[in-house]
Amino acid sequence: MTADPSKAAAQQTPADGTPETGTTAAAAQKPAAREAATSKKSTAKKSTAKKSTAKKSTAKKPTAKKATATKAAAKKATATKAAAKTPKKQATTKPSSARKKKPRTGTSATTKPAAQEAATAATSATPATPANSATTTAVRPARGAFAAGAARASGERRRRSGTPLIPTAPVELSAARRTAVGAPPSADEVVVAAVTEGPTEPETAERRAPATPGRESAGPESREPGKPVETLETVETVGLTDSDEPSDALPAEPTPPRRPSRASMRSTRRTANGEPTRLRAVPTVETSAPADDSHVADVGTRHTQASEARGREHALTSGLQSRAEKLVGAVLEGAEFSSESRPGPTELVELAVNVLRAAATSAGVPAEEAERQVAETLAYLRRRLTGDYVVDEFGFDEDYTVNVHLPLLRPFYKKWFRVEVRGIENIPDEGGALVVGNHSGTIAMDSLMTQVAVYDEHPRHRHLRMLGADLVFQMPFVGTMARRSGTTLAANSDAERLLGSGALVGVWPEGFKGVGKPFSERYKLQRFGRGGFVSAALRAGVPIVPVSIVGAEEIYPILGNMPAVARLLGLPYAPITPTFPLLGPLGMVPLPSKWLIEFGPPIETTSFGPDAADDPMLVFDLTDQVRETIQQTLYSLLMQRKSVFL
Amino acid sequence: MAKVVLVTGVSRYLGGLYARRLSTDPSIERILGVDVVPPKHSIGRAEFVRADIRNPMIGRIMAQAEVDTVVHMNVIATPKDTGGRVTQKEINVIGTMQLLAACQKSESVRRLVVKSSAAVYGSSPRDPAMFTEDMNPKTLPRTGFGKDSVEVEGYVRGFSRRRPDVEITMLRLANVVGPSIHTAITDYFALPLVPIPLGYDARFQFVHEDDATAAMILATTGPPAGIVNVAGDGFLTVTQCTAIARRPVVPVPLQAAGVIGNIVRRSGFADFSSDQLTFLAFGRGLDTARMRSVLEFEPHFTTREAFEDYARHLRPAVPGVEGVGEVVSDAAGGTAAALSRVFDRIQP
């Protein structure tokens, strides 16, 4: 089912995503998690037990394959914190791997000291290693590889299951492990423990690091005191060597791969899933593992020879190529990583959040604020995709209006027209009212701005439900947007229905005569319709609030009309503005005039009673009164305005 | 008061449902179900009478059984079921004429209940948000079922003038949806890829098939109500419907919609005539105040609930879509993870 993965992601996100998103939470959790990394095995075992059993069937193959690819894995192991093993393996199993590794690492400047560092670190961590190395030859690297892989996988798992792990001493882990394996070599175990510890920690640290630069610096501080800070550099090496792994492991795949990319994906996935199963949930397999490993290790070494030759070639290449190689390595690494984590949407969310936070921080916006906004947007999109929103009888979609329509208009309102609103208190807090305004500006931008003004400036954030000409609803897109944002047909039935339901209704009775009048007639009110709005207000018994809008006349000054074009398109007029046909689409950008919107004191209609709507004389009188009020306010506003554009 | 009820269109789904529901009413002595084809479903204790309402024989049946209530449910909206538009028009218009002629002659008929449709209001951008029963359509439906409904209502109005003693209840039902009923609109939203008019998002009202039947029962047994709109509360837009039905949409310009509608109809996926295209573009709203005050009917399902009930019984748009979804999300997740990894690596 399509919904399933996303659902899984949604379930994971709260657990996983929360520590990731909250910077402080992540920082606080990091040291604890790292400490727990070594001992985490027990916890991880529990949490992954289900998964591992489910994948038990595939678990066998990966382990075998892993073993055949001993060399590759060993390489990884060496590159990880268990660099102590590197010299050992070079001496015993395959010098080739070391050689192959050398050219690669040699190109990247950081790796060399890192390897040394790692070596020292490992020796300091495990003093008994040299003694042990003599006994285990081919098995050892394999074991290390397992451990490294397991550690990586477990690190992944820890990262995903955001439950804070109880920090326990690493000794306990190794002991538990020893009992599981049934073999006594203590020093060996410590090495493994060290290995386990190594890669898990930097992986998380590294993954989180780029998200916020600030966090990266916080990373090393919160690290365990005993650990060398150079781990990050070591990790770099891990990435490189890891990237080699798929290509090396590929030939060991029993099924002939049809397409190399997919096959490698599959193989890595199996490896990744198989490893932890083997090491953690099914300890019995572990005992038999060394035998298998030694057996298949030969196969692995055979492949190593080929890769060794390849590696030598690499040694001759220039630094540029190495850089490209690094990129490819990163991609391969990414691919491998992706196959590790099957519930991908989590990664998607994580990536998105990281990028977002980084972007927000760099843009100087608080990351939390940006995150909240994005979360709201996503929630809105989800509601859209599932149809989980309400549309009323007029087609008004509040969810859309608040989240899309008004935010789209706000830049115009605030920045472009710098709308100044006066007398917003004249709009009642509740109950119906009819807002009547002057219409101008070629397109009905004034009504849209009034809508924003009422919603943004009014303490109750009321929606202005506007009445639009039927032409609006005939046009595709425009009509739909109009209906969604609360506009309905300018007809008495709709107006009365809206007013009766206690809505705040906006009407521009001049209609197209007002919007389409030439610039020379600016701020001269046209005929106020047939007074239908007054009779609607009378019937509903609601007050009429006159609104005067100054500034809209100048956004598209109509210098001329193209009646032929208008007739052709079925429009009431086809304007010629200083910019419009001349500059093409650019001419559709409105001029940035300064706007003033003044709501006048409401004109009560209740005293006339509903029957007064049938008295034409009264209706005409009221219409004229409203018209005159608006006209006078317009004049006074024009006097107050310093300049058209300032 | 209703003792002997004659139901036309009993072999159709809604007619059968109505007959079954009416059978549970013990006050009804006898139910006669009339249709040209025998019903494939149970019609309760209704007696099936094979008769064509286009034939004057219907009058003899009414006289014989002393029918006192005639329920006309044979105004057909889906021409596919009846063998084309011509037959549909014959049944709807001529059938109604014959039935009303028989009713006019009949001494026993006391009540006429007609299942009409909200299609009589047409659908246009100049429509008011809500139609009350006394409003006239802004643009009269000129073709198809809508036109038939207008003509049927015209004949019923004429009949009411000639026989003022007969109580008339005419229900203008919004689009009926439900888990089992097949109408143009249910076929439409069952399409694997739903073509929607580009740039329009019509508002719909639905009535659940159970509610539609219950309203018809109430019209039969309850007080006379005249013309009543019947619709569930609330509205859904086309995009909401497709989202609830989990159908992908393909926006089609309204000018090209006629052609596409024809293709869809020819292909047999949906029984959709071009007269319903304006409905898809502009929708319609019904004022149901009279339904509550006069008919005293309270629908059990809202528009959304009715549609969700219908959508629950929809098969997925593409068989095996679950697997596809899994693969796609898997691939997407993999790509995302790879991207995140690369992003991490590249960033210094």
Side-chain angles (χ1 to χ4, degrees):
Chain A
M1 200 168 301
T2 331
D4 271 356
S6 59
K7 213 179 283 171
Q11 282 164 357
Q12 274 184 8
T13 318
D16 188 26
T18 351
E20 283 283 307
T21 51
T23 332
T24 48
Q29 203 207 353
K30 222 179 273 178
R34 193 169 302 116
E35 271 176 12
T38 45
S39 60
K40 178 199 65 261
K41 204 200 276 181
S42 53
T43 345
K45 202 190 286 179
K46 247 175 270 164
S47 64
T48 59
K50 226 177 283 168
K51 197 183 253 180
S52 57
T53 44
K55 285 170 181 160
K56 206 171 274 179
S57 54
T58 50
K60 272 256 163 66
K61 217 178 278 172
T63 45
K65 204 252 318 296
K66 196 74 187 176
T68 47
T70 316
K71 182 237 75 222
K75 213 193 303 159
K76 189 207 294 177
T78 50
T80 24
K81 198 66 78 39
K85 249 178 249 169
T86 319
K88 193 199 311 163
K89 199 196 53 209
Q90 282 170 355
T92 52
T93 42
K94 226 35 51 162
S96 58
S97 71
R99 224 179 300 151
K100 188 211 158 177
K101 189 167 140 358
K102 215 188 273 172
R104 303 196 96 235
T105 53
T107 48
S108 66
T110 53
T111 334
K112 238 180 274 174
Q116 287 165 1
E117 190 74 51
T120 50
T123 39
S124 65
T126 64
T129 315
N132 227 349
S133 63
T135 51
T136 46
T137 50
V139 186
R140 279 296 295 283
R143 170 82 53 85
F146 283 136
R152 216 183 53 228
S154 63
E156 164 74 12
R157 197 151 291 124
R158 169 165 58 79
R159 200 178 48 72
R160 270 200 260 148
S161 66
T163 48
L165 301 162
I166 310 134
T168 1
V171 195
E172 280 181 31
L173 153 86
S174 50
R177 209 170 171 293
R178 210 177 302 138
T179 48
V181 174
S186 61
D188 188 319
E189 289 307 326
V190 180
V191 178
V192 174
V195 171
T196 327
E197 198 174 352
T200 48
E201 163 223 311
E203 193 164 292
T204 46
E206 157 205 45
R207 196 167 300 133
R208 284 166 197 208
T212 41
R215 237 197 271 162
E216 194 169 14
S217 61
E221 286 155 28
S222 58
R223 210 157 276 160
E224 269 179 283
K227 205 142 284 171
V229 187
E230 279 74 24
T231 33
L232 269 178
E233 284 177 287
T234 333
V235 173
E236 215 89 72
T237 334
V238 181
L240 282 180
T241 29
D242 269 4
S243 65
D244 250 12
E245 197 190 36
S247 56
D248 281 8
L250 186 56
E253 178 90 325
T255 49
R258 267 169 301 159
R259 267 192 281 166
S261 60
R262 201 196 275 176
S264 66
M265 286 279 280
R266 214 184 300 138
S267 69
T268 44
R269 178 184 297 179
R270 274 191 209 144
T271 319
N273 291 337
E275 262 170 0
T277 319
R278 197 163 179 288
L279 272 177
R280 283 144 205 256
V282 198
T284 43
V285 189
E286 180 105 19
T287 42
S288 64
D292 287 346
D293 287 353
S294 57
H295 171 68
V296 240
D298 299 324
V299 190
T301 51
R302 233 176 290 140
H303 291 297
T304 324
Q305 281 163 356
S307 60
E308 170 201 6
R310 247 183 287 149
R312 234 181 267 126
E313 277 177 354
H314 280 303
L316 302 170
T317 54
S318 64
L320 184 74
Q321 193 176 336
S322 78
R323 217 170 297 154
E325 201 178 314
K326 187 179 172 184
L327 189 68
V328 171
V331 172
L332 283 175
E333 168 82 2
E336 188 203 9
F337 165 74
S338 73
S339 49
E340 255 174 43
S341 56
R342 274 206 72 188
T346 322
E347 313 303 331
L348 183 68
V349 169
E350 189 188 318
L351 167 69
V353 167
N354 284 351
V355 172
L356 168 75
R357 291 187 72 101
T361 323
S362 61
V365 182
E368 278 70 27
E369 174 68 13
E371 217 174 294
R372 189 186 56 80
Q373 286 209 340
V374 169
E376 273 175 16
T377 311
L378 288 175
Y380 172 76
L381 286 177
R382 188 199 63 75
R383 286 197 298 274
R384 285 284 132 183
L385 286 175
T386 54
D388 188 13
Y389 53 93
V390 178
V391 171
D392 82 351
E393 61 209 61
F394 303 95
F396 173 53
D397 181 351
E398 190 176 5
D399 194 30
Y400 165 85
T401 307
V402 172
N403 289 302
V404 176
H405 181 75
L406 294 173
L408 280 178
L409 291 174
R410 242 168 235 137
F412 283 101
Y413 179 82
K414 285 186 176 151
K415 300 274 157 58
W416 198 255
F417 299 129
R418 294 145 289 139
V419 180
E420 204 178 305
V421 177
R422 297 169 185 183
I424 193 74
E425 68 278 355
N426 288 320
I427 289 177
D429 277 358
E430 53 199 6
L434 187 66
V435 177
V436 182
N438 60 311
H439 218 8
S440 55
T442 310
I443 58 168
M445 194 59 113
D446 48 359
S447 14
L448 294 175
M449 288 302 123
T450 314
Q451 187 184 20
V452 182
V454 169
Y455 184 79
D456 281 5
E457 313 290 341
H458 196 273
R460 292 291 183 88
H461 297 295
R462 296 195 71 175
H463 288 287
L464 184 66
R465 308 291 300 271
M466 297 177 294
L467 302 177
D470 50 3
L471 178 75
V472 170
F473 302 103
Q474 277 168 29
M475 288 193 275
F477 301 106
V478 178
T480 310
M481 297 301 126
R483 274 235 178 265
R484 278 190 193 156
S485 60
T487 307
T488 190
L489 193 76
N492 264 11
S493 58
D494 280 19
E496 280 159 33
R497 187 177 288 276
L498 268 172
L499 288 170
S501 68
L504 187 65
V505 180
V507 68
W508 281 260
E510 289 172 90
F512 288 116
K513 294 189 301 298
V515 215
K517 65 178 178 289
F519 190 59
S520 56
E521 289 177 33
R522 60 190 178 275
Y523 300 115
K524 282 182 193 154
L525 290 186
Q526 305 294 303
R527 178 167 59 84
F528 256 34
R530 278 166 277 182
F533 71 96
V534 171
S535 58
L538 283 169
R539 280 210 187 85
V542 297
I544 296 172
V545 180
V547 57
S548 315
I549 303 155
V550 164
E553 293 276 17
E554 287 89 3
I555 58 170
Y556 300 107
I558 297 184
L559 304 178
N561 194 6
M562 300 179 283
V565 177
R567 217 174 300 129
L568 196 70
L569 297 174
L571 297 171
Y573 52 89
I576 299 171
T577 73
T579 52
F580 173 52
L582 197 67
L583 301 179
L586 204 65
M588 304 223 280
V589 177
L591 297 180
S593 56
K594 166 78 179 170
W595 284 39
L596 296 168
I597 296 180
E598 180 167 332
F599 296 95
I603 300 163
E604 288 302 328
T605 60
T606 40
S607 55
F608 300 107
D611 295 336
D614 299 325
D615 180 355
M617 192 54 80
L618 178 69
V619 170
F620 282 131
D621 279 353
L622 268 175
T623 309
D624 279 347
Q625 187 189 340
V626 174
R627 190 172 175 275
E628 277 310 304
T629 312
I630 294 171
Q631 185 69 75
Q632 294 310 319
T633 320
L634 278 179
Y635 287 144
S636 77
L637 283 175
L638 284 169
M639 295 288 282
Q640 293 168 37
R641 188 168 68 160
K642 279 172 258 139
S643 148
V644 173
F645 295 109
L646 290 176
Chain B
M1 64 160 285
K3 297 267 186 255
V4 183
V5 179
L6 181 133
V7 188
T8 64
V10 78
S11 296
R12 302 183 59 76
Y13 178 76
L14 214 55
L17 198 62
Y18 170 82
R20 282 201 296 281
R21 289 279 285 272
L22 196 67
S23 300
T24 59
D25 189 339
S27 69
I28 310 286
E29 285 170 7
R30 198 173 170 198
I31 305 168
L32 296 175
V34 177
D35 212 323
V36 282
V37 286
K40 296 190 194 80
H41 43 72
S42 158
I43 54 168
R45 62 186 172 94
E47 305 155 38
F48 176 69
V49 181
R50 186 162 184 161
D52 194 339
I53 55 168
R54 289 170 285 178
N55 193 304
M57 198 183 83
I58 195 84
R60 287 206 292 279
I61 296 168
M62 280 161 74
Q64 251 174 28
E66 293 188 339
V67 171
D68 58 17
T69 305
V70 174
V71 180
H72 184 29
M73 296 186 77
N74 211 12
V75 184
I76 298 163
T78 46
K80 194 174 69 178
D81 301 353
T82 52
R85 170 76 190 123
V86 177
T87 329
Q88 179 199 18
K89 192 175 169 84
E90 282 273 302
I91 292 171
N92 287 350
V93 179
I94 309 298
T96 304
M97 285 178 81
Q98 288 283 0
L99 184 72
L100 292 179
C103 288
Q104 197 174 331
K105 272 266 181 275
S106 165
E107 301 288 320
S108 56
V109 172
R110 290 285 163 269
R111 173 176 289 199
L112 173 67
V113 178
V114 180
K115 178 182 84 85
S116 185
S117 162
V120 296
Y121 294 118
S123 190
S124 85
R126 290 157 60 227
D127 283 350
M130 303 274 260
F131 277 104
T132 54
E133 285 81 354
D134 51 1
M135 279 183 186
N136 290 318
K138 290 286 174 185
T139 49
L140 271 172
R142 275 172 298 183
T143 52
F145 173 63
K147 192 185 183 208
D148 290 358
S149 298
V150 170
E151 288 180 1
V152 166
E153 287 207 352
Y155 290 125
V156 172
R157 216 167 287 128
F159 170 77
S160 75
R161 265 201 313 276
R162 290 188 288 271
R163 283 290 299 268
D165 57 315
V166 175
E167 301 165 347
I168 291 175
T169 300
M170 190 149 57
L171 300 188
R172 289 176 178 163
L173 298 178
N175 292 70
V176 183
V177 296
S180 318
I181 193 167
H182 279 280
T183 66
I185 215 82
T186 59
D187 283 356
Y188 172 69
F189 285 112
L191 288 173
L193 190 66
V194 180
I196 59 167
L198 177 69
Y200 296 99
D201 198 8
R203 300 159 298 133
F204 290 162
Q205 266 178 326
F206 296 120
V207 59
H208 195 271
E209 55 188 49
D210 291 347
D211 279 339
T213 319
M216 287 298 290
I217 299 276
L218 201 57
T220 313
T221 57
I227 301 173
V228 179
N229 291 336
V230 176
D233 291 338
F235 281 85
L236 284 179
T237 64
V238 178
T239 45
Q240 273 181 307
C241 290
T242 52
I244 292 169
R246 295 198 295 160
R247 287 293 190 272
V249 297
V250 48
V252 175
L254 201 58
Q255 290 77 18
V259 180
I260 295 202
N262 279 337
I263 291 169
V264 168
R265 194 171 67 247
R266 292 270 170 78
S267 66
F269 275 122
D271 195 0
F272 218 83
S273 49
S274 53
D275 60 301
Q276 276 151 317
L277 283 171
T278 52
F279 175 62
L280 286 180
F282 304 111
R284 186 187 303 131
L286 301 181
D287 185 313
T288 52
R290 264 180 75 86
M291 175 184 83
R292 290 199 161 80
S293 60
V294 180
L295 186 65
E296 292 169 355
F297 174 67
E298 188 69 38
H300 190 253
F301 291 85
T302 65
T303 290
R304 178 181 278 268
E305 284 164 359
F307 193 80
E308 279 172 350
D309 193 35
Y310 152 74
R312 248 193 301 283
H313 295 82
L314 267 184
R315 275 170 297 157
V318 182
V321 75
E322 294 88 359
V324 174
E326 217 161 83
V327 167
V328 167
S329 66
D330 227 38
T335 317
L339 271 176
S340 78
R341 195 60 171 233
V342 171
F343 174 75
D344 287 3
R345 293 255 159 227
I346 290 170
Q347 218 184 41

